[in-house]
Amino acid sequence: MTHPILLLGFLIVAYFSGSQAQNAFSQYWEENIGIPHPPHWLAAKASPLSSHQAKMYMKLMEENELTSHLSSFCKQANVACSTNALLKKTTDYTTLPPIAQWNDQKLKYEPLPNGITLSIASQGGLPYFRESMVTKGGLMPVPDLRDPMSYKSFLPRSLASKIPFSFARMEDLKKLFGVVDESKMDEYIQGTLNICQKSPVRGEQCTCVISGEDLIDFVVKKLGHHVHIWSTENVEGSYENVTIGVVNLIYENLSEPPTLCHSLPFPFQVYYCHVFQKVKLYAVEIKAQRKVNHAIMACHYDTSTWDPNHLAFKLLGFGPGLIEVCHWINQNGVVWTKNLS
């Protein structure tokens, strides 16, 4: 059993080395990525745990005693534990409706003013659309761009590798983070594990990364060390029928596909990263009510292997391989492209 004085000692040492963990992530970045520094918002997701704290919590985890120190762990690691944690820093945009989850029950069918019949979610906005629908001066119903749990941090790789990240150990996972059955966090965990453990479609390369180091390793494996990074600037335009400003094609090399990483709701930061062939990227000016947003739009030009029941085809009225499908990159999402210069 870990002695309370030992636990206090580790916490005191950690207090005086608060930036150590973020420096470790930045160092790993600089050693592997040919860009001097990670974007500020991504650097902020580095685990705040010092090496001393990580070792302490790993010891507690190995001794099945972490649940006894759950409150301090969650606070020190900046992760979400228990149902109540979702109330923390959910969004700075308090005028927006609660974050909604997409499912078939939330769809309703109605014609848009331009006469094209589309399925619109009850929360408003189109999660999938055609490239031709995004033109300068046109109107576009934008869905919720927010990350449901934008504040959470990565765990250090040493700790993340010990997490029971699978459906088979779902109960152990929920117990570890104090998650209540049928709570919103329970729903998020099941949804994320479902995405992470599904079989990729033909031609897709995908993985879920559960640490900052894992994210960097996957990108380097797919694209090499010299990359560009693209992300949506903010969540402005969510739930709005926005006016489209300038649309810039920023990547069109169909022989060197980008890597798209989507932030998933989970107690700590998890990304679903995948590589699809024939993807173009656009930087789009979204003229929202409060201010202009600069969003990244990804368009998939080969949908021939997609599930015929994919939501995109329900929304747009076509089948696999018949159309391109575009979508926005949401808050905390990141797109990586190979630097060919």
Side-chain angles (χ1 to χ4, degrees):
M1 181 175 180
T2 303
H3 197 280
I5 295 179
L6 177 62
L7 177 63
L8 178 61
F10 274 130
L11 294 177
I12 292 174
V13 171
Y15 177 82
F16 291 103
S17 57
S19 63
Q20 178 183 346
Q22 290 190 3
N23 288 340
F25 173 76
S26 296
Q27 181 179 348
Y28 196 79
W29 175 281
E30 291 171 6
E31 291 171 353
N32 291 276
I33 300 294
I35 300 174
H37 306 287
H40 66 90
W41 61 268
L42 185 58
K45 287 193 165 294
S47 173
L49 292 178
S50 69
S51 59
H52 295 283
Q53 286 175 303
K55 289 176 183 177
M56 176 191 67
Y57 288 124
M58 184 180 296
K59 183 175 177 62
L60 289 172
M61 194 179 297
E62 290 171 347
E63 296 176 352
N64 293 319
E65 294 182 16
L66 184 62
T67 52
S68 301
H69 304 276
L70 196 59
S71 178
S72 62
F73 169 67
C74 297
K75 182 177 180 180
Q76 296 287 342
N78 191 40
V79 298
C81 302
S82 82
T83 308
N84 293 334
L86 290 180
L87 299 177
K88 174 189 175 187
K89 302 180 188 175
T90 49
T91 180
D92 293 329
Y93 296 83
T94 55
T95 58
L96 292 176
I99 292 173
Q101 297 296 302
W102 280 90
N103 59 47
D104 290 340
Q105 284 69 44
K106 290 179 179 175
L107 295 179
K108 67 177 182 180
Y109 296 81
E110 60 188 31
L112 288 181
N114 61 9
I116 301 176
T117 300
L118 295 169
S119 308
I120 307 292
S122 59
Q123 83 221 43
L126 281 173
Y128 300 103
F129 44 88
R130 302 290 303 274
E131 179 187 23
S132 60
M133 297 170 63
V134 183
T135 57
K136 185 176 181 180
L139 296 178
M140 185 71 184
V142 175
D144 195 349
L145 300 176
R146 290 175 295 175
D147 182 343
M149 298 169 62
S150 63
Y151 64 87
K152 63 192 183 302
S153 298
F154 282 115
L155 286 179
R157 175 182 269 173
S158 58
L159 268 179
S161 63
K162 303 294 184 182
I163 299 296
F165 192 79
S166 69
F167 270 121
R169 298 191 60 191
M170 172 75 77
E171 293 308 311
D172 292 336
L173 177 63
K174 288 164 59 176
K175 181 180 178 182
L176 185 65
F177 289 99
V179 176
V180 179
D181 289 345
E182 298 183 0
S183 64
K184 178 58 68 174
M185 181 65 82
D186 185 13
E187 178 185 329
Y188 282 155
I189 288 175
Q190 292 193 46
T192 290
L193 290 178
N194 183 57
I195 291 172
C196 291
Q197 297 189 357
K198 73 178 181 66
S199 298
V201 301
R202 182 163 50 88
E204 179 189 24
Q205 305 168 58
C206 61
T207 191
C208 278
V209 295
I210 59 175
S211 73
E213 295 89 343
D214 288 347
L215 175 63
I216 292 171
D217 287 350
F218 183 76
V219 170
V220 170
K221 180 180 178 181
K222 298 303 175 185
L223 300 175
H225 298 280
H226 301 287
V227 295
H228 287 295
I229 304 174
W230 312 91
S231 60
T232 293
E233 192 171 272
N234 53 61
V235 301
E236 294 292 348
S238 296
Y239 295 111
E240 293 181 25
N241 201 30
V242 304
T243 299
I244 300 297
V246 176
V247 180
N248 286 323
L249 177 63
I250 57 176
Y251 192 80
E252 59 176 335
N253 191 322
L254 298 182
S255 63
E256 294 282 358
T259 296
L260 280 61
C261 295
H262 307 279
S263 181
L264 299 180
F266 205 72
F268 55 91
Q269 182 62 55
V270 172
Y271 276 101
Y272 173 69
C273 295
H274 59 159
V275 179
F276 267 116
Q277 300 296 319
K278 297 185 178 179
V279 175
K280 291 183 181 181
L281 302 174
Y282 295 82
V284 181
E285 194 177 55
I286 291 178
K287 297 183 178 181
Q289 291 179 9
R290 297 209 308 179
K291 62 180 181 180
V292 174
N293 189 4
H294 297 91
I296 301 301
M297 178 177 81
C299 291
H300 299 260
Y301 288 84
D302 183 3
T303 61
S304 60
T305 62
W306 291 23
D307 186 339
N309 293 316
H310 194 288
L311 178 59
F313 302 132
K314 294 181 179 180
L315 292 171
L316 302 174
F318 292 86
L322 299 178
I323 56 169
E324 84 295 338
V325 172
C326 302
H327 61 83
W328 304 112
I329 300 299
N330 283 14
Q331 180 184 27
N332 291 324
V334 56
V335 180
W336 313 73
T337 58
K338 195 167 190 175
N339 187 346
L340 301 175
S341 59

